[in-house]
Amino acid sequence: MQLFFGISYLLFFAGVVIASLFIMFHLSRYSLNRKLAVGMTGLFVVVTAVLLWTNSLLFFSLPLDTLLIPTNF
């Protein structure tokens, strides 16, 4: 079951990275002000990197082996 969650998270992570690249392309390509485009793209990269880093830290800190054991009440 851990393999399932690992693959699912990998697909999620890859999807977020691809979507971020799509957004960065459009921020840099279709902006009217070039200086503002560079600043907003840089800010977007930093914020996205921090969010992905914290998300991956939280995911890998989950105790998946004990989380998936059914309990009887």
Side-chain angles (χ1 to χ4, degrees):
M1 197 57 122
Q2 287 179 339
L3 181 64
F4 171 74
F5 284 118
I7 291 172
S8 298
Y9 186 74
L10 182 65
L11 290 173
F12 165 76
F13 196 86
V16 170
V17 169
I18 290 170
S20 298
L21 291 173
F22 181 78
I23 292 169
M24 284 175 18
F25 171 76
H26 285 86
L27 275 174
S28 62
R29 177 85 171 143
Y30 297 114
S31 181
L32 295 177
N33 187 351
R34 206 68 179 153
K35 189 184 289 188
L36 186 63
V38 171
M40 287 298 110
T41 304
L43 180 66
F44 179 79
V45 167
V46 169
V47 170
T48 303
V50 168
L51 288 175
L52 282 174
W53 181 65
T54 56
N55 188 290
S56 62
L57 283 178
L58 289 172
F59 175 77
F60 289 119
S61 69
L62 286 175
L64 293 177
D65 51 345
T66 60
L67 193 68
L68 301 174
I69 297 174
T71 58
N72 295 330
F73 290 103

